[in-house]
Amino acid sequence: MDPVVRAIAVYVFLLLVFRAFGKRSLAQITTFDFVLLLIIAETTQQALLGEDFSITNAFILIATLFLMDGAFSFVKEHSAWFDRVTEGLPLIVLKDGKVLAERVRMSRINEADILAAARELQGLERLDQIKYAVLEKNGSITIIPKEGAA
Amino acid sequence: MKRVGDVEVEQDLTFERRSYRAQRIGQGLLAAFVLAAIAGFFGNGPFDRAKAADESGGLRVEYPRFTRRLTDWEMVVEVGPAAAQGREFQLWFDRSFAERFTLEGALPEPLDTAVDGDRVLLRFRREEDPAAARVRCVVRPLQSGRGEMQLGVVGGPAVTLRYLVYP
């Protein structure tokens, strides 16, 4: 029973931590973020395994994590509320070249992030070439250019 | 699907504002969690040092009141001269010790260990001329949860250690 409880606890804790730090927490991974992710993975691994390095324990943990993920997906599919709470919603952060300040602040992004997405995805040069910028649920920024701008 | 301007997007500003507040609360809770860890509320910090002593002062134990399962838990036991005469003395731990802990080591090493009814006994040699014999015991909790353990000197005083073992 112990590994199952540990796997559930770690899964829920990670979910809460990532949710607490918003959509952008891992959307743009810098080199340092990548190293941080490896450290988190290593720490989590030790908490999950404890002192039991048996293959049985590993199988129990893997099965529990997959089942947890499957169960969360199932509930998200059937409950719009749960899906919103765990995944968030898309948010328009720029309209007609104007950054929507409150939304940008709430999402912990800035103009530079929007411009970077505009350059990367559409080859745009300025904010006024963007019709809409949408911060998606997964933390990426989608750019819809103004007609003739792209 | 909701339409905002020309874009069909499932946007909800009220939800976003609530979500933002919830995130700030979550971040605050995480910061409090880390501060509590620094303070020692999860072990290894200034707030986790505890002392238990009997009224006569014959037995005194310093130990961390918070610890974590399967990590070393070190207690320092001081046996005063009044509590145990002679060249040897015996410490006892109650049954909960055997059920919830393993003894990883003791310094000085016990001369022998034995089980006597509900007690685990450890016999030590007393040094030549100490004011109080001092034993450092390292144990490892096997179960999480709040608990109490009785520890004493055979034929002498006893104290109760109260602790919390985190999972």
Side-chain angles (χ1 to χ4, degrees):
Chain A
M1 194 184 83
D2 199 34
V4 175
V5 174
R6 266 183 286 161
I8 292 171
V10 167
Y11 186 98
V12 172
F13 184 74
L14 284 176
L15 185 79
L16 290 175
V17 169
F18 278 96
R19 196 69 187 94
F21 282 88
K23 298 182 187 114
R24 293 288 285 173
S25 51
L26 277 175
Q28 276 193 326
I29 295 183
T30 62
T31 310
F32 183 74
D33 290 338
F34 181 67
V35 173
L36 191 67
L37 201 61
L38 290 178
I39 296 170
I40 292 171
E42 180 75 10
T43 312
T44 308
Q45 179 221 338
Q46 287 174 5
L48 283 171
L49 291 175
E51 292 194 330
D52 184 352
F53 301 112
S54 67
I55 198 164
T56 308
N57 193 31
F59 284 177
I60 292 170
L61 288 167
I62 292 166
T64 309
L65 289 171
F66 266 92
L67 276 175
M68 280 290 288
D69 210 42
F72 267 67
S73 298
F74 180 82
V75 178
K76 275 189 259 183
E77 215 173 284
H78 290 83
S79 162
W81 175 84
F82 191 73
D83 186 37
R84 281 176 165 216
V85 169
T86 52
E87 296 288 330
L89 289 175
L91 180 68
I92 295 174
V93 289
L94 180 145
K95 190 177 174 190
D96 291 327
K98 289 201 173 59
V99 171
L100 303 170
E102 185 203 7
R103 302 180 193 185
V104 161
R105 183 177 56 81
M106 286 194 303
S107 310
R108 295 169 60 225
I109 59 170
N110 54 36
E111 278 185 24
D113 293 325
I114 300 171
L115 271 171
R119 283 194 301 270
E120 201 176 323
L121 302 171
Q122 302 285 345
L124 301 180
E125 296 151 348
R126 300 182 310 277
L127 287 178
D128 62 20
Q129 294 174 305
I130 306 171
K131 190 172 184 187
Y132 292 105
V134 183
L135 179 64
E136 301 292 352
K137 287 202 284 193
N138 64 6
S140 63
I141 297 172
T142 307
I143 301 292
I144 301 166
K146 285 183 179 169
E147 273 177 39
Chain B
M1 183 67 70
K2 254 169 48 180
R3 196 180 171 110
V4 181
D6 299 330
V7 193
E8 280 188 355
V9 64
E10 196 191 349
Q11 180 179 264
D12 183 342
L13 283 179
T14 310
F15 171 79
E16 288 297 337
R17 289 190 186 107
R18 273 190 205 147
S19 182
Y20 177 69
R21 278 197 293 274
Q23 279 177 11
R24 298 304 293 233
I25 291 168
Q27 289 164 15
L29 288 175
L30 275 177
F33 182 68
V34 173
L35 288 175
I38 292 168
F41 288 105
F42 303 109
N44 297 327
F47 281 93
D48 101 305
R49 303 307 308 169
K51 286 176 191 163
D54 82 305
E55 285 171 4
S56 69
L59 179 64
R60 184 185 153 96
V61 184
E62 279 184 39
Y63 65 102
R65 77 182 90 225
F66 305 113
T67 187
R68 299 187 284 261
R69 190 174 155 267
L70 297 177
T71 57
D72 287 349
W73 194 52
E74 188 180 294
M75 63 180 86
V76 177
V77 183
E78 280 184 9
V79 181
Q85 305 288 330
R87 296 298 305 276
E88 290 178 1
F89 63 94
Q90 263 188 317
L91 291 181
W92 60 265
F93 294 87
D94 68 2
R95 176 186 281 273
S96 74
F97 175 79
E99 286 169 354
R100 304 186 71 165
F101 295 87
T102 56
L103 179 67
E104 295 296 306
L107 197 72
E109 279 193 30
L111 298 171
D112 57 46
T113 57
V115 177
D116 175 28
D118 278 357
R119 295 170 166 187
V120 177
L121 303 173
L122 280 76
R123 193 158 58 91
F124 294 93
R125 187 183 301 281
R126 185 184 279 278
E127 293 298 319
E128 283 295 320
D129 186 27
R134 198 178 166 91
V135 177
R136 192 178 292 270
C137 291
V138 178
V139 300
R140 186 169 282 196
L142 301 172
Q143 297 169 19
S144 47
R146 184 188 286 273
E148 280 187 7
M149 182 204 304
Q150 292 261 315
L151 185 161
V153 181
V154 173
V159 292
T160 302
L161 312 186
R162 292 181 179 83
Y163 57 84
L164 176 63
V165 180
Y166 290 101

